[in-house]
Amino acid sequence: MTRAATSDTFADNARHALADPALQGALAFVETNFPARRRAVVDALPEFEALRDSARDIKAHTLAHLDLYLEAWEARVTEQGGQVHYAPTAADANRIVLDICRAAGARTVSKGKSMVGEEIGINEHLEQHGIVPVETDLGEYIIQIRGEMPSHIIMPAVHLNRHQVAADFRRVHADLPKDRDLDSAAALLNEARATLRRTFLSADVGITGANFLVAETGSSVIVTNEGNGDLTCTLPRVHIVLASIEKLVPTLEDMAQLVRVLARSATAQEMSVYTTITTGPRRAADPDGPHEYHVVIVDNGRSAMLAGEFRDMLRCIRCGACLNHCPVYHAVGGHAYGFVYPGPMGAVLTPSLIGVDRAGALPEASTFCGRCEEVCPVRIPLPRLMRFWRDRAFAQHLPSPVSRAALAAWGFLAARPWLYRGVTGLGTRLLARLGRVRGRFAWLPLAGGFTATRDLAAPQGATFQQQWRQRAASGPERPRPRTVPSGNPHGRGSEPLVAEPRAAPAPAADRPSGRPRPVAVGEPERPRGPEARP
Amino acid sequence: MAVSKRVGLLVTCLVDLVRPSVGFAAARLLEDAGCAVAVPSQTCCGQPAFNAGDRRTARRIAEQVIAVFEPFDYVVVPSGSCAGQVRLHYPEIFQGDPAWQPRADAVADKTFELTQFLVDVCGVTGVASRFSGRATYHDSCSSLRELGVRLQPRKLLASVEGLDLIELADTDVCCGFGGTFCVKYPEISDRMVGKKATAVTATGADLLLAGDLGCLLNIAGKLSRDGSGVTVRHVAEVLAGAVDAPAIGTAPPAVPTPTEAKP
Ligand code: SF4
């Protein structure tokens, strides 16, 4: 099993991931396809940016009044014969679900995709107590039989190719004839479908997640593409919805608004194939549905987030767009992050779930390029939230002593301009001298990681500030040439800029002295200056 | 002509230490646009500390920058990343501080990335320099997303005589520099810059330009290690016609011959 959190070994995980050709192939698919598809579907909807604003506002408003909406929602659920269970922690949630399953005499549980279920480890908990949970979403089913965490929040098995999946099916589906064709994706789907159909019919309890909980109606809503979620809610006698508190939205109309940005951001669909709204257990006139309807509403650290600087993260609708657009995710995939939530959203969420001491590497592993924030449908400022984790990690002295010492030394200098000037002036000249022959270094102490695969340009010589002041001091400002003398094929250009200002080589008689400037090489006469200034 | 704009050039620590020719090119462009350029004593904008979670050091350095640059009409930076630090993050650092927040906001409001300043504030529509060659342009993430700089450098480059600008694929994707990221996670950074270098090579351009020296050092280092013939420069050097210094990470030729201008 590889289900234990490994966020604390992110750097090693990443190294392995970078060296895994099958994984890299799968990631290349995400990188080349998903951003382009999202772009196309977003470009086709002129009001998409306005929809994002509205999606952000709906979630922000709900979070600001979460207690009221939770109360209203609970009242509606109860009125309709459903039961609401509050779970402050993951352990509470697991215990409550197990109790419901036991009370129902359940031996097999069918499961729709639920990221909260992954977060609290519900499958392991049920297994430990003799209940067999079977994932019915194809991707979740695949990672379940492999004993893995999801590597993506909406495509849990995106790290695998179909040959790997075929091998897993042959290993686990004992009754599979050796010559059964599993070469195509369709064949794999049919194989999974046949196996899962038996589960749907035999399961005593169905557990699903929820994309939204609607306060106005007491409904839970899931959006799926496979239809497995529908079967999970309707066929078993007992339906348990596992949802975290931030899934609340005020009205069905709000939900519809969010679904429009969700599907486009997640899978570049205008709508997911199934949007399933479940409200309470089966009523007398209903043709089908469960006899019992439970919602286990999980806090697991969210109230603390709500009260602090990470509140914005609770707007997340788990679309996965930030993963699909993240260059770090594209390089290392989801498992490197070492917990169920990878990519930028995971870099913010995971430290709040397992602690910044264990997951501090995740918010560090970002260039803050901001592509995630640019596509997030609810406009979560992901880089800023990652920086908040860095603030906390720094305050707790978590970064390595070496990096802390380097930062402290640099900070000491940068806050003392006179000292900075002296030290950097000497340093750049020394490096310029060392790097003079090639203009770059193939290796430098302290930059070994960088220079293992890249060259590092050598400084040109004296610092800009030194040169600027020397030039200013070397004579009164004179009008400088508006043209470059012709017949000067190389001018100063062939000389490196060095510490001591040298006399310009005086290539032409008309060159004025005074403040020398770099001039272009081998360029014919040309006027200088902007062509137009209003 | 109207009274010239008094510009404080925040040259950035990388330009100051590694590539002063960018600072001179920036100063020349600003002077050509009618600005009076000054270079007050400076060290760094403090971004490394800010991004490392060391708010105290970040704040101390930011105070220094604000105090030194507040007398100017404008602060111009040949880097989207450092300009973004001042414009967006200084106000964040001093949020709610009655003494410093107004000062931080005031400096933030008058701080611009170089090409943004030339085009949007000075109304420059073109430069009068020449450079023959095929170039491509890399957008730094901070220029693109924090400052919304995209068209300005392209507009100026379009006016460079002889320069053919070819668009890079995936120009909104990070090159993997990320300040200390490239040292903390060198393998991930290398994978990212490897993709960027491949995209650069695929354009067929012989010159890569960008407005941020961090990205440029990163991509130039990868291109040169891979033996690519693409040369790399800061956009200001080409705009100012100041291409006499050897390209980034290259040495001056042993025998002085023109290295850049290819007729
Ligand atoms: S953080 Fe934003 S982009 Fe990422 S999964 Fe959540 S809603 Fe989607």
Side-chain angles (χ1 to χ4, degrees):
Chain A
M1 295 284 274
T2 48
R3 299 265 330 178
T6 60
S7 305
D8 49 349
T9 55
F10 173 81
D12 287 337
N13 307 348
R15 230 166 271 133
H16 285 121
L18 286 164
D20 178 342
L23 173 63
Q24 292 298 321
L27 292 171
F29 179 81
V30 175
E31 180 178 0
T32 45
N33 286 285
F34 281 81
R37 288 184 194 168
R38 174 192 171 274
R39 184 78 265 159
V41 73
V42 162
D43 285 347
L45 187 70
E47 70 268 34
F48 187 74
E49 293 307 310
L51 270 179
R52 286 175 69 190
D53 289 339
S54 132
R56 172 199 58 205
D57 294 345
I58 291 169
K59 292 292 279 188
H61 165 85
T62 317
L63 291 169
H65 307 282
L66 193 58
D67 46 350
L68 295 178
Y69 284 116
L70 274 170
E71 270 177 41
W73 165 80
E74 181 181 2
R76 301 293 294 147
V77 175
T78 319
E79 270 166 35
Q80 292 165 105
Q83 296 178 53
V84 175
H85 313 260
Y86 282 94
T89 66
D92 295 325
N94 282 331
R95 182 180 41 74
I96 294 166
V97 172
L98 180 64
D99 287 349
I100 299 169
C101 291
R102 279 184 171 155
R107 297 182 38 203
T108 305
V109 168
S110 62
K111 275 199 68 227
K113 183 171 155 22
S114 160
M115 282 310 298
V116 175
E118 292 284 353
E119 174 185 324
I120 65 175
I122 185 65
N123 287 359
E124 289 83 340
H125 189 73
L126 293 176
E127 278 165 14
Q128 279 162 18
H129 293 86
I131 295 173
V132 181
V134 182
E135 295 285 356
T136 62
D137 170 272
L138 180 60
E140 284 286 340
Y141 176 70
I142 294 166
I143 61 161
Q144 186 186 26
I145 62 179
R146 292 173 63 90
E148 288 180 335
M149 285 190 198
S151 68
H152 190 290
I153 59 173
I154 63 162
M155 301 174 283
V158 74
H159 57 292
L160 300 170
N161 61 41
R162 60 190 157 82
H163 307 293
Q164 291 168 298
V165 176
D168 285 317
F169 281 5
R170 288 194 197 284
R171 177 172 56 78
V172 174
H173 297 178
D175 51 350
L176 200 61
K178 283 256 176 303
D179 55 352
R180 172 76 149 272
D181 166 38
L182 287 180
D183 278 353
S184 68
L188 288 171
L189 195 63
N190 285 335
E191 171 60 23
R193 197 169 266 158
T195 307
L196 291 174
R197 188 65 58 166
R198 291 196 289 273
T199 306
F200 285 125
L201 296 174
S202 64
D204 311 292
V205 173
I207 301 178
T208 66
N211 291 91
F212 307 100
L213 300 174
V214 183
E216 155 186 72
T217 58
S219 311
S220 57
V221 182
I222 51 174
V223 294
T224 63
N225 281 319
E226 295 173 16
N228 64 306
D230 286 19
L231 296 179
T232 311
C233 332
T234 46
L235 291 182
R237 224 161 26 78
V238 177
H239 177 201
I240 303 175
V241 177
L242 258 179
S244 47
I245 56 172
E246 79 276 18
K247 299 293 171 193
L248 253 291
V249 293
T251 65
L252 281 173
E253 200 173 316
D254 293 326
M255 181 275 287
Q257 189 91 313
L258 289 163
V259 163
R260 296 182 75 195
V261 292
L262 172 59
R264 286 180 169 84
S265 304
T267 45
Q269 290 167 288
E270 287 175 2
M271 281 282 277
S272 301
V273 179
Y274 299 89
T275 300
T276 309
I277 304 176
T278 317
T279 312
R282 177 181 197 160
R283 281 157 296 226
D286 288 349
D288 56 15
H291 295 273
E292 289 177 31
Y293 173 83
H294 300 264
V295 187
V296 180
I297 188 144
V298 184
D299 187 307
N300 205 25
R302 276 136 179 111
S303 298
M305 290 175 77
L306 191 62
E309 58 192 356
F310 295 103
R311 172 191 280 213
D312 289 347
M313 194 60 217
L314 295 178
R315 294 204 297 268
C316 177
I317 54 175
R318 306 288 190 267
C319 72
C322 56
L323 284 63
N324 295 344
H325 289 76
C326 176
V328 175
Y329 181 89
H330 293 156
V332 303
H335 285 161
Y337 291 80
F339 194 61
V340 297
Y341 299 115
M345 58 84 72
V348 178
L349 264 186
T350 305
S352 66
L353 295 169
I354 66 172
V356 68
D357 51 333
R358 289 173 69 199
L362 309 189
E364 287 288 341
S366 165
T367 62
F368 286 166
C369 79
R371 211 177 173 212
C372 49
E373 179 174 354
E374 189 178 53
V375 297
C376 175
V378 285
R379 301 196 191 278
I380 298 173
L382 291 153
R384 179 175 343 138
L385 301 184
M386 285 185 235
R387 193 183 298 105
F388 287 164
W389 279 123
R390 296 188 187 185
D391 293 346
R392 293 197 182 190
F394 186 84
Q396 293 174 35
H397 301 276
L398 294 177
S400 75
V402 174
S403 69
R404 290 183 68 85
L407 184 68
W410 166 87
F412 184 86
L413 281 180
R416 288 165 183 79
W418 52 274
L419 188 61
Y420 179 93
R421 272 199 299 280
V423 172
T424 57
L426 286 174
T428 56
R429 277 188 247 191
L430 175 68
L431 286 174
R433 201 165 283 269
L434 290 173
R436 193 165 41 190
V437 175
R438 295 179 68 223
R440 58 182 179 267
F441 299 101
W443 181 83
L444 266 189
L446 302 177
F450 184 93
T451 51
T453 54
R454 280 162 279 193
D455 295 332
L456 187 59
Q460 286 174 325
T463 66
F464 173 76
Q465 294 186 75
Q466 283 171 327
Q467 294 190 45
W468 179 269
R469 287 186 219 305
Q470 275 159 358
R471 288 177 189 206
S474 69
E477 192 77 10
R478 299 246 190 115
R480 65 203 166 75
R482 305 304 294 181
T483 57
V484 176
S486 57
N488 167 27
H490 37 83
R492 285 166 40 82
S494 59
E495 301 280 336
L497 291 167
V498 290
E500 268 61 58
R502 299 185 189 172
D510 60 346
R511 182 163 191 150
S513 59
R515 186 169 138 198
R517 294 178 155 275
V519 292
V521 184
E523 303 277 335
E525 297 217 359
R526 65 193 199 279
R528 292 216 44 84
E531 279 164 357
R533 255 174 252 145
Chain B
M1 195 157 89
V3 179
S4 64
K5 303 177 175 71
R6 291 175 315 126
V7 168
L9 182 60
L10 198 169
V11 76
T12 79
C13 56
L14 281 181
V15 166
D16 187 35
L17 304 181
V18 180
R19 202 160 172 85
S21 54
V22 175
F24 287 108
R28 173 183 282 190
L29 287 164
L30 290 167
E31 285 174 358
D32 285 347
C35 303
V37 180
V39 180
S41 173
Q42 52 192 285
T43 62
C44 170
C45 67
Q47 190 178 164
F50 185 63
N51 284 347
D54 182 357
R55 289 270 177 151
R56 250 193 36 220
T57 305
R59 183 188 163 114
R60 203 161 60 216
I61 296 170
E63 285 175 3
Q64 196 173 280
V65 172
I66 291 167
V68 164
F69 282 93
E70 60 194 346
F72 294 95
D73 299 334
Y74 296 98
V75 183
V76 177
V77 195
S79 155
S81 172
C82 311
Q85 175 71 13
V86 178
R87 258 191 100 86
L88 277 83
H89 301 304
Y90 279 13
E92 200 179 324
I93 291 174
F94 295 103
Q95 199 173 14
D97 182 319
W100 279 94
Q101 175 153 24
R103 296 175 70 181
D105 288 349
V107 170
D109 286 348
K110 58 188 179 187
T111 298
F112 296 88
E113 185 272 342
L114 176 67
T115 61
Q116 179 187 36
F117 181 75
L118 291 172
V119 173
D120 298 350
V121 181
C122 300
V124 174
T125 56
V127 293
S129 63
R130 286 189 41 181
F131 190 100
S132 32
R134 285 144 56 87
T136 188
Y137 187 82
H138 164 71
D139 291 288
S140 80
C141 299
S142 353
S143 279
L144 192 63
R145 283 182 274 262
E146 291 196 325
L147 305 174
V149 172
R150 212 187 83 77
L151 297 177
Q152 297 91 329
R154 289 170 174 78
K155 181 171 186 173
L156 296 177
L157 284 171
S159 71
V160 174
E161 204 185 317
L163 189 81
D164 200 2
L165 190 67
I166 310 164
E167 279 296 331
L168 194 58
D170 298 328
T171 183
D172 67 325
V173 177
C174 180
C175 73
F177 175 66
T180 54
F181 174 85
C182 68
V183 187
K184 269 188 282 185
Y185 296 104
E187 295 93 350
I188 302 175
S189 168
D190 178 58
R191 183 60 53 91
M192 290 163 69
V193 74
K195 290 175 186 171
K196 189 56 74 182
T198 305
V200 170
T201 312
T203 61
D206 37 37
L207 174 68
L208 169 72
L209 299 170
D212 274 77
L213 193 52
C215 314
L216 287 166
L217 291 173
N218 186 36
I219 306 172
K222 188 65 183 173
L223 286 167
S224 98
R225 180 64 61 89
D226 288 355
S228 153
V230 180
T231 55
V232 181
R233 287 186 180 278
H234 192 285
V235 66
E237 299 174 50
V238 168
L239 292 178
V243 291
D244 50 344
I248 294 173
T250 64
V255 183
T257 48
T259 50
E260 286 297 335
K262 292 178 200 113

